[in-house]
Amino acid sequence: MVQNNNIFLTYENLAFSLPLLAVCTTYAYFKYIPMKYGLPVLGVCAALFQIRSHIQAHKAKKLETLDEDFVNELAGEDDTEKKRQEEAAAKQRKAKAKLEQRLAQEKKALKRKAGTKKKKGNDAADEDGDEVDALMAFANSKKKQ
């Protein structure tokens, strides 16, 4: 790094001379540039400066108020979250399918049991009827004695 030992060209002297430079520049501008051209140019420059500063302020505010989704999207976490959700949904669908299959098998088993019970129920009713007939015969035989 080159070191200048110039005592006249320093940042401190530049800062002290800026007001004088601004006054001289303004005087020269209005002295040598006609008013009908100079004022509109200054107005346009001022408007551009305001627009630029407004946009910068808006960007700064937007950065401050970033929501979590946008941050996740920028970080790439949104993809992993979607994958997790898809995996969870697939597991739920699989579990639901297994449950429906099991319930269907249970219904079939109940229908088979009900069908066999009806067949057995008729035989059981016959057996019950036989038992009742036997008891009645036993009771009648005691009355006769």
Side-chain angles (χ1 to χ4, degrees), residues 6-145:
N6 194 344
I7 60 170
F8 297 110
L9 296 175
T10 62
Y11 288 110
E12 188 176 287
N13 288 344
L14 179 63
F16 284 133
S17 67
L18 278 179
L20 180 62
L21 287 173
V23 169
C24 292
T25 304
T26 305
Y27 173 77
Y29 183 80
F30 287 115
K31 173 87 173 161
Y32 297 111
I33 297 177
M35 189 83 70
K36 65 181 183 179
Y37 301 117
L39 285 179
V41 170
L42 284 178
V44 168
C45 290
L48 289 175
F49 180 75
Q50 286 293 328
I51 290 170
R52 187 175 138 256
S53 63
H54 179 70
I55 289 172
Q56 286 178 343
H58 182 68
K59 284 181 181 178
K61 186 176 182 182
K62 191 175 180 180
L63 285 174
E64 289 175 2
T65 59
L66 279 178
D67 59 341
E68 206 169 297
D69 294 336
F70 186 67
V71 172
N72 288 342
E73 182 180 323
L74 288 177
E77 295 174 3
D78 192 34
D79 296 334
T80 58
E81 184 65 29
K82 282 184 181 179
K83 287 180 183 177
R84 283 188 212 139
Q85 288 177 352
E86 289 173 2
E87 289 173 0
K91 285 181 182 179
Q92 286 179 349
R93 285 191 300 268
K94 204 177 223 183
K96 189 174 182 181
K98 285 182 180 179
L99 178 68
E100 289 175 356
Q101 187 179 16
R102 193 186 80 211
L103 289 174
Q105 287 176 352
E106 287 179 4
K107 282 184 181 179
K108 286 181 183 178
L110 287 175
K111 284 182 182 178
R112 279 190 227 136
K113 282 185 179 180
T116 57
K117 277 187 179 179
K118 284 182 182 178
K119 291 178 184 176
K120 288 182 180 178
N122 293 337
D123 294 338
D126 292 340
E127 289 175 11
D128 290 340
D130 292 343
E131 289 177 8
V132 169
D133 291 338
L135 285 174
M136 292 297 280
F138 180 74
N140 286 337
S141 65
K142 280 195 174 186
K143 282 184 185 178
K144 290 181 183 178
Q145 290 174 354

